[in-house]
Amino acid sequence: MGLSREHVVCMIVIIIMAMGMFGESLASSSLHKVGGSAGWTTLGNVDYQKWTSSDVFTPGDSLLFVYNTQFHNVKQVSRRDFISCNATSALATYNSGSDTVALKKPGHYYFLCGFPGHCQAGQKLHVLVVATSTASPSLSLSPDLSPVPSPSTGSSPSPSPATASEDSAQNGAISFSLSLSTAMSGVVVFWVALMLY
């Protein structure tokens, strides 16, 4: 007993809808270059709290820390260590000069530079990751709101391309999503043509 045309059409619709959801989830993830064009630094008086308030961070997004390894590093810390600028008991340490940190789930994430005096000079970052359905650009990022984050454990930096930029990474994710979706659509159309004729 073969499949009727109605069953085939129904399966095609389901496959196309699934591809659309898959493509949307890939395209909705963003790579945020910390500090914008200034990067992760103490120079230029970068206001990292102001930088985070201009964007919404959702699960699946990533932070890109770009900095000179002779003068900076990135330490992911607890809320308490963030407030006191204590880098000695970091949850994770990054020191490649181009570190990508995945924001896997909703919650508060805290980062600071572990070089002496840098955190006190303002080189620290608090990011609130909100569930996709509650994302709103008007969220307050006051550090006294939060529970301790639940980051990935370990002290090795995440690999990332040394020349990645916010725009090229976002465009790359969207381009990959569209390319994959287009390729899968072509396969589906070819399969349907074979089944119907």
Side-chain angles (χ1 to χ4, degrees), residues 121-160:
Q123 194 176 6
K124 61 187 202 172
L125 175 70
H126 167 222
V127 175
L128 175 59
V129 177
V130 296
T132 307
S133 62
T134 61
S136 166
S138 61
L139 293 169
S140 170
L141 295 179
S142 173
D144 56 347
L145 294 173
S146 57
V148 175
S150 302
S152 303
T153 57
S155 61
S156 61
S158 298
S160 63

Side-chain angles (χ1 to χ4, degrees), residues 14-26 177 181 184-185:
I14 290 171
I15 290 170
I16 291 172
M17 287 172 47
M19 288 182 342
M21 287 187 285
F22 177 72
E24 183 179 317
S25 68
L26 282 177
S177 171
S181 186
M184 290 177 74
S185 295

Side-chain angles (χ1 to χ4, degrees), residues 23-32 58-62 103 166 169-174:
E24 183 179 317
S25 68
L26 282 177
S28 65
S29 297
S30 296
L31 181 67
H32 305 271
T58 57
D61 286 358
S62 296
L103 304 172
E166 179 178 72
Q170 275 185 309
N171 291 342
I174 292 168

Side-chain angles (χ1 to χ4, degrees), residues 4-165:
S4 69
R5 284 186 180 209
E6 290 82 19
H7 285 111
V8 171
V9 170
C10 184
M11 286 178 13
I12 292 168
V13 169
I14 290 171
I15 290 170
I16 291 172
M17 287 172 47
M19 288 182 342
M21 287 187 285
F22 177 72
E24 183 179 317
S25 68
L26 282 177
S28 65
S29 297
S30 296
L31 181 67
H32 305 271
K33 184 179 176 190
V34 175
S37 61
W40 185 240
T41 183
T42 53
L43 301 175
N45 297 322
V46 179
D47 184 342
Y48 292 103
Q49 184 170 347
K50 183 177 179 181
W51 177 81
T52 58
S53 69
S54 68
D55 212 342
V56 175
F57 301 89
T58 57
D61 286 358
S62 296
L63 299 175
L64 174 62
F65 291 87
V66 178
Y67 55 93
N68 183 329
T69 58
Q70 292 180 327
F71 304 107
H72 307 288
N73 61 21
V74 179
K75 304 265 185 164
Q76 186 170 359
V77 296
S78 68
R79 176 184 174 267
R80 178 173 296 177
D81 288 342
F82 175 82
I83 291 169
S84 65
C85 285
N86 178 10
T88 59
S89 57
L91 303 170
T93 298
Y94 305 92
N95 53 24
S96 76
S98 181
D99 301 307
T100 302
V101 179
L103 304 172
K104 295 180 182 177
K105 55 187 173 179
H108 296 265
Y109 294 80
Y110 301 94
F111 304 92
L112 53 81
C113 179
F115 278 62
H118 289 201
C119 178
Q120 293 83 350
Q123 194 176 6
K124 61 187 202 172
L125 175 70
H126 167 222
V127 175
L128 175 59
V129 177
V130 296
T132 307
S133 62
T134 61
S136 166
S138 61
L139 293 169
S140 170
L141 295 179
S142 173
D144 56 347
L145 294 173
S146 57
V148 175
S150 302
S152 303
T153 57
S155 61
S156 61
S158 298
S160 63
T163 58
S165 70

